[in-house]
Amino acid sequence: MATSQVNVGIIGAGRIGRVHAENLAHRIPEARIVAVADVVEDMARKLASDFQIPAVYNDPRRILDDQQINAVLICSSSDTHAQLIEDAAAARKHIFCEKPIALDLAKIDHALAAVNKAGVKLQVGFNRRFDPSFKRVRELVASGEIGDAHILRITSRDPAPPPMAYVKVSGGIFLDMTIHDFDMARYLMGSEVEEVYAAGSVLVDPEIGKAGDLDTAVITLRFANGALGVIDNSRQAVYGYDQRVEVFGSKGMALAANKTTDAVTQSDANAIHSAKPLYFFLERYGDAFAAEMREFVLSVAQDKMPPVTGIDGRIAVVIGYAALKSVKENRPVRVSEVDRT
Ligand SMILES: NC(=O)c1ccc[n+]([C@@H]2O[C@H](COP(=O)([O-])OP(=O)(O)OC[C@H]3O[C@@H](n4cnc5c(N)ncnc54)[C@H](O)[C@@H]3O)[C@@H](O)[C@H]2O)c1
């Protein structure tokens, strides 16, 4: 049912909870943040005081019990998402959930079934789809202006690895980091990924290796339409957040370069210098996060289908599983091998 104002509860007041709170508070007049919950109550208190949020809880259940709340944002650690989706659906709240939906396919399917049964909306946090440059690349591919798309290249490198406490509950590089690139791959090419051949290494931080994870990866993709793709990831690019995409086709190419703090180049006798890429996701994807949240709020307010669905969230996890299997078995893996549904 359409509603003029969307009353939102935020679960998880860490890095990404703060991004969404700021956008809701300052850029989305159709929404009002009614409550925030974090198991670390001080985190919730700080967010509430920064954005004048009336209610603060240390238990997300309190948000789900609040009758005036019609939508929740799940911004807690990745291993908590699936259960919170199920609980929020049972409480008849519309849901925005950060990626990944869960680290386990059975849990994802359970959560999506609960969403369907309750008839609530679910949008998954693939913010990069809302980046103006990447949207333009998608439009150029979809309109046929670069002809048939043959090759996709995505470079996605973080400026520094996350804290080890985050790494340990993140689901690993493919489900935590490359998941955005897997979603971009489907989105940009307009074709499903059918096969994955991934190689991974630990070259940045041995602690990441000790936690059973990787910090460097190259993934080759084969799409249903025959096109090929390659994604490269690193947890540490010393020059900043390196986020580039390129689609090469039969009639040309579309390229989205890094965003920098300014567009000035300085030349001298030794070299030509220019600004580094914007530092990290908060800076690089500021506009995209705001647009993503606005679309979610409008989908609730106007009773529209959210632009990124639970199925989109599920498919990216499935591709992540295929990548993991490919590294373990050192061979190309068809996506259908890890998802027989
Ligand atoms: N879309 C993106 O670009 C993007 C960027 C960063 C993080 N994320 C995702 O957002 C989620 C959170 O990441 P973050 O970087 O903000 O982490 P974070 O560690 O900074 O914050 C997570 C917060 O959730 C709280 N929390 C944990 N379990 C909880 C529970 N059961 N109920 C309520 N609060 C709980 C923690 O105390 C913490 O304050 C992760 O799933 C991550 O994958 C997405």
Side-chain angles (χ1 to χ4, degrees):
M1 202 175 63
T3 162
S4 57
Q5 177 168 289
V6 180
N7 289 332
V8 177
I10 300 179
I11 298 172
R15 292 185 306 174
I16 204 74
R18 175 163 290 271
V19 171
H20 296 316
E22 184 169 7
N23 284 322
L24 288 167
H26 298 319
R27 296 179 191 89
I28 305 176
E30 295 85 353
R32 187 169 71 101
I33 314 173
V34 173
V36 54
D38 196 300
V39 286
V40 180
E41 197 172 322
D42 281 351
M43 295 294 287
R45 279 207 182 287
K46 175 87 178 69
L47 198 77
S49 104
D50 289 348
F51 299 106
Q52 289 81 49
I53 303 170
V56 176
Y57 305 123
N58 60 11
D59 179 357
R61 190 71 249 165
R62 300 280 302 276
I63 287 196
L64 304 182
D65 289 341
D66 187 332
Q67 294 306 315
Q68 62 169 333
I69 290 178
N70 24 44
V72 296
L73 311 186
I74 299 176
C75 304
S76 45
S77 327
S78 298
D79 56 341
T80 66
H81 294 177
Q83 188 61 52
L84 286 168
I85 290 177
E86 282 192 44
D87 295 347
R92 294 276 189 280
K93 311 291 187 203
H94 298 295
I95 303 160
F96 174 92
C97 181
E98 270 306 336
K99 43 58 62 174
I101 298 181
L103 308 174
D104 175 301
L105 272 190
K107 284 187 184 163
I108 293 180
D109 289 340
H110 232 259
L112 296 189
V115 166
N116 276 346
K117 183 168 168 231
V120 293
K121 298 181 194 306
L122 169 64
Q123 180 171 328
V124 176
F126 288 136
N127 54 293
R128 294 184 194 176
R129 290 189 184 213
F130 302 87
D131 175 73
S133 300
F134 296 165
K135 268 181 108 154
R136 180 82 187 117
V137 173
R138 169 66 196 138
E139 281 161 17
L140 290 171
V141 174
S143 65
E145 281 180 72
I146 60 156
D148 296 331
H150 290 174
I151 300 173
L152 165 75
R153 296 183 68 92
I154 298 179
T155 289
S156 178
R157 303 174 190 151
D158 286 354
M164 281 312 298
Y166 177 97
V167 168
K168 285 177 182 159
V169 291
S170 70
I173 192 167
F174 295 130
L175 297 188
D176 180 55
M177 181 175 172
T178 330
I179 193 167
H180 280 294
D181 308 310
F182 293 140
D183 183 64
M184 285 304 292
R186 303 175 57 231
Y187 167 76
L188 291 172
M189 298 297 271
S191 181
E192 294 298 338
V193 173
E194 282 197 336
E195 189 180 81
V196 177
Y197 195 7
S201 248
V202 180
L203 303 174
V204 173
D205 183 351
E207 289 302 313
I208 292 179
K210 282 187 203 153
D213 199 356
L214 305 163
D215 57 34
T216 307
V218 174
I219 306 107
T220 306
L221 308 172
R222 184 181 292 277
F223 293 88
N225 65 4
L228 302 175
V230 63
I231 298 168
D232 79 82
N233 292 143
S234 170
R235 282 289 193 187
Q236 182 166 277
V238 292
Y239 50 85
Y241 196 35
D242 194 355
Q243 297 286 294
R244 291 170 279 150
V245 309
E246 178 185 302
V247 181
F248 168 81
S250 56
K251 290 190 196 163
M253 179 181 79
L255 171 69
N258 277 319
K259 270 171 89 172
T260 51
T261 42
D262 61 64
V264 176
T265 56
Q266 175 219 336
S267 306
D268 59 31
N270 298 318
I272 297 176
H273 311 265
S274 62
K276 292 197 291 191
L278 292 173
Y279 179 67
F280 206 178
F281 63 92
L282 302 179
E283 296 84 6
R284 170 66 181 82
Y285 291 118
D287 293 344
F289 283 123
E292 151 186 85
M293 195 43 56
R294 187 169 165 72
E295 288 290 324
F296 172 65
V297 167
L298 291 185
S299 77
V300 174
Q302 300 171 359
D303 194 17
K304 295 189 300 190
M305 171 107 160
V308 188
T309 64
I311 297 296
D312 292 319
R314 183 185 190 281
I315 292 174
V317 171
V318 170
I319 302 171
Y321 272 116
L324 205 53
K325 190 173 174 68
S326 175
V327 169
K328 279 189 187 144
E329 299 180 11
N330 194 21
R331 65 174 179 92
V333 170
R334 291 186 72 76
V335 169
S336 57
E337 291 181 48
V338 292
D339 181 25
R340 300 192 185 278
T341 57

PDB file of all heavy atoms in Angstrom, residues 137-161:
ATOM      1  N   VAL A 137      27.374   3.640 -18.599  1.00  0.00           N
ATOM      2  CA  VAL A 137      27.957   2.496 -19.317  1.00  0.00           C
ATOM      3  C   VAL A 137      26.856   1.470 -19.602  1.00  0.00           C
ATOM      4  O   VAL A 137      26.743   0.962 -20.725  1.00  0.00           O
ATOM      5  CB  VAL A 137      29.117   1.853 -18.501  1.00  0.00           C
ATOM      6  CG1 VAL A 137      29.590   0.566 -19.171  1.00  0.00           C
ATOM      7  CG2 VAL A 137      30.282   2.829 -18.356  1.00  0.00           C
ATOM      8  N   ARG A 138      26.027   1.217 -18.606  1.00  0.00           N
ATOM      9  CA  ARG A 138      24.921   0.264 -18.811  1.00  0.00           C
ATOM     10  C   ARG A 138      24.010   0.714 -19.956  1.00  0.00           C
ATOM     11  O   ARG A 138      23.609  -0.082 -20.795  1.00  0.00           O
ATOM     12  CB  ARG A 138      24.117   0.113 -17.507  1.00  0.00           C
ATOM     13  CG  ARG A 138      22.813  -0.632 -17.665  1.00  0.00           C
ATOM     14  CD  ARG A 138      23.014  -2.094 -18.036  1.00  0.00           C
ATOM     15  NE  ARG A 138      21.819  -2.733 -18.542  1.00  0.00           N
ATOM     16  CZ  ARG A 138      21.780  -3.567 -19.594  1.00  0.00           C
ATOM     17  NH1 ARG A 138      22.879  -3.868 -20.266  1.00  0.00           N
ATOM     18  NH2 ARG A 138      20.658  -4.121 -19.974  1.00  0.00           N
ATOM     19  N   GLU A 139      23.693   2.035 -19.966  1.00  0.00           N
ATOM     20  CA  GLU A 139      22.815   2.560 -21.017  1.00  0.00           C
ATOM     21  C   GLU A 139      23.454   2.375 -22.400  1.00  0.00           C
ATOM     22  O   GLU A 139      22.781   2.028 -23.368  1.00  0.00           O
ATOM     23  CB  GLU A 139      22.557   4.058 -20.800  1.00  0.00           C
ATOM     24  CG  GLU A 139      21.515   4.349 -19.724  1.00  0.00           C
ATOM     25  CD  GLU A 139      21.603   5.796 -19.202  1.00  0.00           C
ATOM     26  OE1 GLU A 139      22.222   6.643 -19.872  1.00  0.00           O
ATOM     27  OE2 GLU A 139      21.065   6.023 -18.113  1.00  0.00           O
ATOM     28  N   LEU A 140      24.766   2.603 -22.481  1.00  0.00           N
ATOM     29  CA  LEU A 140      25.451   2.477 -23.777  1.00  0.00           C
ATOM     30  C   LEU A 140      25.445   1.026 -24.258  1.00  0.00           C
ATOM     31  O   LEU A 140      25.336   0.762 -25.453  1.00  0.00           O
ATOM     32  CB  LEU A 140      26.890   3.007 -23.674  1.00  0.00           C
ATOM     33  CG  LEU A 140      26.999   4.519 -23.500  1.00  0.00           C
ATOM     34  CD1 LEU A 140      28.440   4.934 -23.180  1.00  0.00           C
ATOM     35  CD2 LEU A 140      26.514   5.248 -24.748  1.00  0.00           C
ATOM     36  N   VAL A 141      25.562   0.102 -23.318  1.00  0.00           N
ATOM     37  CA  VAL A 141      25.510  -1.322 -23.684  1.00  0.00           C
ATOM     38  C   VAL A 141      24.082  -1.687 -24.090  1.00  0.00           C
ATOM     39  O   VAL A 141      23.849  -2.280 -25.147  1.00  0.00           O
ATOM     40  CB  VAL A 141      25.996  -2.217 -22.517  1.00  0.00           C
ATOM     41  CG1 VAL A 141      25.804  -3.698 -22.846  1.00  0.00           C
ATOM     42  CG2 VAL A 141      27.454  -1.929 -22.181  1.00  0.00           C
ATOM     43  N   ALA A 142      23.110  -1.290 -23.253  1.00  0.00           N
ATOM     44  CA  ALA A 142      21.712  -1.695 -23.486  1.00  0.00           C
ATOM     45  C   ALA A 142      21.160  -1.110 -24.777  1.00  0.00           C
ATOM     46  O   ALA A 142      20.367  -1.750 -25.471  1.00  0.00           O
ATOM     47  CB  ALA A 142      20.846  -1.276 -22.298  1.00  0.00           C
ATOM     48  N   SER A 143      21.599   0.108 -25.120  1.00  0.00           N
ATOM     49  CA  SER A 143      21.058   0.760 -26.316  1.00  0.00           C
ATOM     50  C   SER A 143      21.721   0.228 -27.596  1.00  0.00           C
ATOM     51  O   SER A 143      21.305   0.569 -28.693  1.00  0.00           O
ATOM     52  CB  SER A 143      21.290   2.272 -26.235  1.00  0.00           C
ATOM     53  OG  SER A 143      22.689   2.515 -26.267  1.00  0.00           O
ATOM     54  N   GLY A 144      22.778  -0.563 -27.434  1.00  0.00           N
ATOM     55  CA  GLY A 144      23.472  -1.109 -28.608  1.00  0.00           C
ATOM     56  C   GLY A 144      24.476  -0.137 -29.205  1.00  0.00           C
ATOM     57  O   GLY A 144      25.054  -0.406 -30.266  1.00  0.00           O
ATOM     58  N   GLU A 145      24.719   1.004 -28.533  1.00  0.00           N
ATOM     59  CA  GLU A 145      25.622   2.005 -29.122  1.00  0.00           C
ATOM     60  C   GLU A 145      27.063   1.524 -29.251  1.00  0.00           C
ATOM     61  O   GLU A 145      27.805   2.033 -30.081  1.00  0.00           O
ATOM     62  CB  GLU A 145      25.562   3.313 -28.313  1.00  0.00           C
ATOM     63  CG  GLU A 145      24.332   4.127 -28.677  1.00  0.00           C
ATOM     64  CD  GLU A 145      24.246   5.417 -27.899  1.00  0.00           C
ATOM     65  OE1 GLU A 145      25.034   6.324 -28.182  1.00  0.00           O
ATOM     66  OE2 GLU A 145      23.383   5.500 -27.016  1.00  0.00           O
ATOM     67  N   ILE A 146      27.473   0.580 -28.411  1.00  0.00           N
ATOM     68  CA  ILE A 146      28.824   0.033 -28.602  1.00  0.00           C
ATOM     69  C   ILE A 146      28.753  -1.336 -29.309  1.00  0.00           C
ATOM     70  O   ILE A 146      29.727  -2.070 -29.354  1.00  0.00           O
ATOM     71  CB  ILE A 146      29.618  -0.066 -27.279  1.00  0.00           C
ATOM     72  CG1 ILE A 146      28.904  -0.984 -26.284  1.00  0.00           C
ATOM     73  CG2 ILE A 146      29.879   1.294 -26.665  1.00  0.00           C
ATOM     74  CD1 ILE A 146      29.866  -1.570 -25.275  1.00  0.00           C
ATOM     75  N   GLY A 147      27.588  -1.620 -29.890  1.00  0.00           N
ATOM     76  CA  GLY A 147      27.416  -2.871 -30.641  1.00  0.00           C
ATOM     77  C   GLY A 147      27.178  -4.042 -29.700  1.00  0.00           C
ATOM     78  O   GLY A 147      26.670  -3.865 -28.587  1.00  0.00           O
ATOM     79  N   ASP A 148      27.562  -5.239 -30.148  1.00  0.00           N
ATOM     80  CA  ASP A 148      27.449  -6.410 -29.264  1.00  0.00           C
ATOM     81  C   ASP A 148      28.581  -6.338 -28.248  1.00  0.00           C
ATOM     82  O   ASP A 148      29.740  -6.157 -28.629  1.00  0.00           O
ATOM     83  CB  ASP A 148      27.596  -7.705 -30.073  1.00  0.00           C
ATOM     84  CG  ASP A 148      26.459  -7.872 -31.078  1.00  0.00           C
ATOM     85  OD1 ASP A 148      25.348  -7.354 -30.795  1.00  0.00           O
ATOM     86  OD2 ASP A 148      26.701  -8.463 -32.142  1.00  0.00           O
ATOM     87  N   ALA A 149      28.241  -6.496 -26.964  1.00  0.00           N
ATOM     88  CA  ALA A 149      29.282  -6.443 -25.922  1.00  0.00           C
ATOM     89  C   ALA A 149      30.091  -7.738 -25.959  1.00  0.00           C
ATOM     90  O   ALA A 149      29.525  -8.832 -25.912  1.00  0.00           O
ATOM     91  CB  ALA A 149      28.621  -6.257 -24.559  1.00  0.00           C
ATOM     92  N   HIS A 150      31.417  -7.600 -26.064  1.00  0.00           N
ATOM     93  CA  HIS A 150      32.274  -8.791 -26.152  1.00  0.00           C
ATOM     94  C   HIS A 150      33.097  -9.030 -24.888  1.00  0.00           C
ATOM     95  O   HIS A 150      33.266 -10.162 -24.462  1.00  0.00           O
ATOM     96  CB  HIS A 150      33.245  -8.650 -27.337  1.00  0.00           C
ATOM     97  CG  HIS A 150      32.580  -8.732 -28.669  1.00  0.00           C
ATOM     98  ND1 HIS A 150      33.242  -8.505 -29.859  1.00  0.00           N
ATOM     99  CD2 HIS A 150      31.296  -9.006 -29.008  1.00  0.00           C
ATOM    100  CE1 HIS A 150      32.408  -8.639 -30.879  1.00  0.00           C
ATOM    101  NE2 HIS A 150      31.218  -8.943 -30.382  1.00  0.00           N
ATOM    102  N   ILE A 151      33.655  -7.925 -24.335  1.00  0.00           N
ATOM    103  CA  ILE A 151      34.564  -8.083 -23.185  1.00  0.00           C
ATOM    104  C   ILE A 151      34.219  -7.057 -22.120  1.00  0.00           C
ATOM    105  O   ILE A 151      34.074  -5.866 -22.401  1.00  0.00           O
ATOM    106  CB  ILE A 151      36.052  -7.881 -23.598  1.00  0.00           C
ATOM    107  CG1 ILE A 151      36.471  -8.891 -24.663  1.00  0.00           C
ATOM    108  CG2 ILE A 151      36.964  -7.999 -22.372  1.00  0.00           C
ATOM    109  CD1 ILE A 151      37.874  -8.642 -25.233  1.00  0.00           C
ATOM    110  N   LEU A 152      34.118  -7.525 -20.867  1.00  0.00           N
ATOM    111  CA  LEU A 152      33.931  -6.642 -19.704  1.00  0.00           C
ATOM    112  C   LEU A 152      35.208  -6.682 -18.871  1.00  0.00           C
ATOM    113  O   LEU A 152      35.775  -7.756 -18.660  1.00  0.00           O
ATOM    114  CB  LEU A 152      32.768  -7.169 -18.850  1.00  0.00           C
ATOM    115  CG  LEU A 152      32.653  -6.587 -17.437  1.00  0.00           C
ATOM    116  CD1 LEU A 152      32.099  -5.170 -17.473  1.00  0.00           C
ATOM    117  CD2 LEU A 152      31.766  -7.480 -16.565  1.00  0.00           C
ATOM    118  N   ARG A 153      35.654  -5.520 -18.433  1.00  0.00           N
ATOM    119  CA  ARG A 153      36.786  -5.484 -17.482  1.00  0.00           C
ATOM    120  C   ARG A 153      36.349  -4.662 -16.274  1.00  0.00           C
ATOM    121  O   ARG A 153      35.871  -3.540 -16.436  1.00  0.00           O
ATOM    122  CB  ARG A 153      38.007  -4.783 -18.084  1.00  0.00           C
ATOM    123  CG  ARG A 153      38.625  -5.468 -19.266  1.00  0.00           C
ATOM    124  CD  ARG A 153      39.859  -4.690 -19.707  1.00  0.00           C
ATOM    125  NE  ARG A 153      40.902  -4.785 -18.702  1.00  0.00           N
ATOM    126  CZ  ARG A 153      41.856  -5.712 -18.703  1.00  0.00           C
ATOM    127  NH1 ARG A 153      41.909  -6.608 -19.668  1.00  0.00           N
ATOM    128  NH2 ARG A 153      42.747  -5.738 -17.752  1.00  0.00           N
ATOM    129  N   ILE A 154      36.499  -5.219 -15.092  1.00  0.00           N
ATOM    130  CA  ILE A 154      36.227  -4.467 -13.863  1.00  0.00           C
ATOM    131  C   ILE A 154      37.480  -4.511 -12.999  1.00  0.00           C
ATOM    132  O   ILE A 154      37.993  -5.598 -12.703  1.00  0.00           O
ATOM    133  CB  ILE A 154      35.055  -5.069 -13.063  1.00  0.00           C
ATOM    134  CG1 ILE A 154      33.747  -5.020 -13.873  1.00  0.00           C
ATOM    135  CG2 ILE A 154      34.876  -4.334 -11.735  1.00  0.00           C
ATOM    136  CD1 ILE A 154      32.542  -5.631 -13.147  1.00  0.00           C
ATOM    137  N   THR A 155      37.959  -3.341 -12.627  1.00  0.00           N
ATOM    138  CA  THR A 155      39.038  -3.260 -11.640  1.00  0.00           C
ATOM    139  C   THR A 155      38.432  -2.720 -10.363  1.00  0.00           C
ATOM    140  O   THR A 155      37.777  -1.676 -10.376  1.00  0.00           O
ATOM    141  CB  THR A 155      40.155  -2.317 -12.133  1.00  0.00           C
ATOM    142  OG1 THR A 155      40.825  -2.964 -13.211  1.00  0.00           O
ATOM    143  CG2 THR A 155      41.160  -2.019 -11.028  1.00  0.00           C
ATOM    144  N   SER A 156      38.618  -3.442  -9.272  1.00  0.00           N
ATOM    145  CA  SER A 156      37.988  -3.054  -8.012  1.00  0.00           C
ATOM    146  C   SER A 156      38.973  -3.350  -6.888  1.00  0.00           C
ATOM    147  O   SER A 156      39.161  -4.500  -6.505  1.00  0.00           O
ATOM    148  CB  SER A 156      36.697  -3.866  -7.855  1.00  0.00           C
ATOM    149  OG  SER A 156      36.055  -3.577  -6.656  1.00  0.00           O
ATOM    150  N   ARG A 157      39.637  -2.283  -6.433  1.00  0.00           N
ATOM    151  CA  ARG A 157      40.696  -2.453  -5.420  1.00  0.00           C
ATOM    152  C   ARG A 157      40.434  -1.484  -4.275  1.00  0.00           C
ATOM    153  O   ARG A 157      40.205  -0.299  -4.522  1.00  0.00           O
ATOM    154  CB  ARG A 157      42.070  -2.171  -6.038  1.00  0.00           C
ATOM    155  CG  ARG A 157      42.366  -3.042  -7.239  1.00  0.00           C
ATOM    156  CD  ARG A 157      43.679  -2.655  -7.933  1.00  0.00           C
ATOM    157  NE  ARG A 157      43.799  -3.353  -9.212  1.00  0.00           N
ATOM    158  CZ  ARG A 157      44.465  -2.884 -10.261  1.00  0.00           C
ATOM    159  NH1 ARG A 157      45.106  -1.726 -10.194  1.00  0.00           N
ATOM    160  NH2 ARG A 157      44.512  -3.580 -11.391  1.00  0.00           N
ATOM    161  N   ASP A 158      40.477  -2.002  -3.060  1.00  0.00           N
ATOM    162  CA  ASP A 158      40.275  -1.158  -1.873  1.00  0.00           C
ATOM    163  C   ASP A 158      41.583  -0.443  -1.523  1.00  0.00           C
ATOM    164  O   ASP A 158      42.662  -0.962  -1.806  1.00  0.00           O
ATOM    165  CB  ASP A 158      39.862  -2.029  -0.674  1.00  0.00           C
ATOM    166  CG  ASP A 158      38.430  -2.524  -0.772  1.00  0.00           C
ATOM    167  OD1 ASP A 158      37.707  -2.107  -1.704  1.00  0.00           O
ATOM    168  OD2 ASP A 158      38.035  -3.335   0.086  1.00  0.00           O
ATOM    169  N   PRO A 159      41.495   0.694  -0.827  1.00  0.00           N
ATOM    170  CA  PRO A 159      42.735   1.382  -0.429  1.00  0.00           C
ATOM    171  C   PRO A 159      43.445   0.684   0.729  1.00  0.00           C
ATOM    172  O   PRO A 159      44.665   0.786   0.864  1.00  0.00           O
ATOM    173  CB  PRO A 159      42.247   2.767   0.003  1.00  0.00           C
ATOM    174  CG  PRO A 159      40.814   2.583   0.341  1.00  0.00           C
ATOM    175  CD  PRO A 159      40.303   1.469  -0.514  1.00  0.00           C
ATOM    176  N   ALA A 160      42.678  -0.025   1.574  1.00  0.00           N
ATOM    177  CA  ALA A 160      43.279  -0.708   2.730  1.00  0.00           C
ATOM    178  C   ALA A 160      42.335  -1.810   3.177  1.00  0.00           C
ATOM    179  O   ALA A 160      41.119  -1.689   3.027  1.00  0.00           O
ATOM    180  CB  ALA A 160      43.477   0.290   3.878  1.00  0.00           C
ATOM    181  N   PRO A 161      42.897  -2.898   3.738  1.00  0.00           N
ATOM    182  CA  PRO A 161      42.020  -3.988   4.171  1.00  0.00           C
ATOM    183  C   PRO A 161      41.161  -3.576   5.357  1.00  0.00           C
ATOM    184  O   PRO A 161      41.559  -2.698   6.127  1.00  0.00           O
ATOM    185  CB  PRO A 161      42.998  -5.092   4.594  1.00  0.00           C
ATOM    186  CG  PRO A 161      44.363  -4.602   4.328  1.00  0.00           C
ATOM    187  CD  PRO A 161      44.313  -3.156   3.978  1.00  0.00           C
TER     188      PRO A 161
END
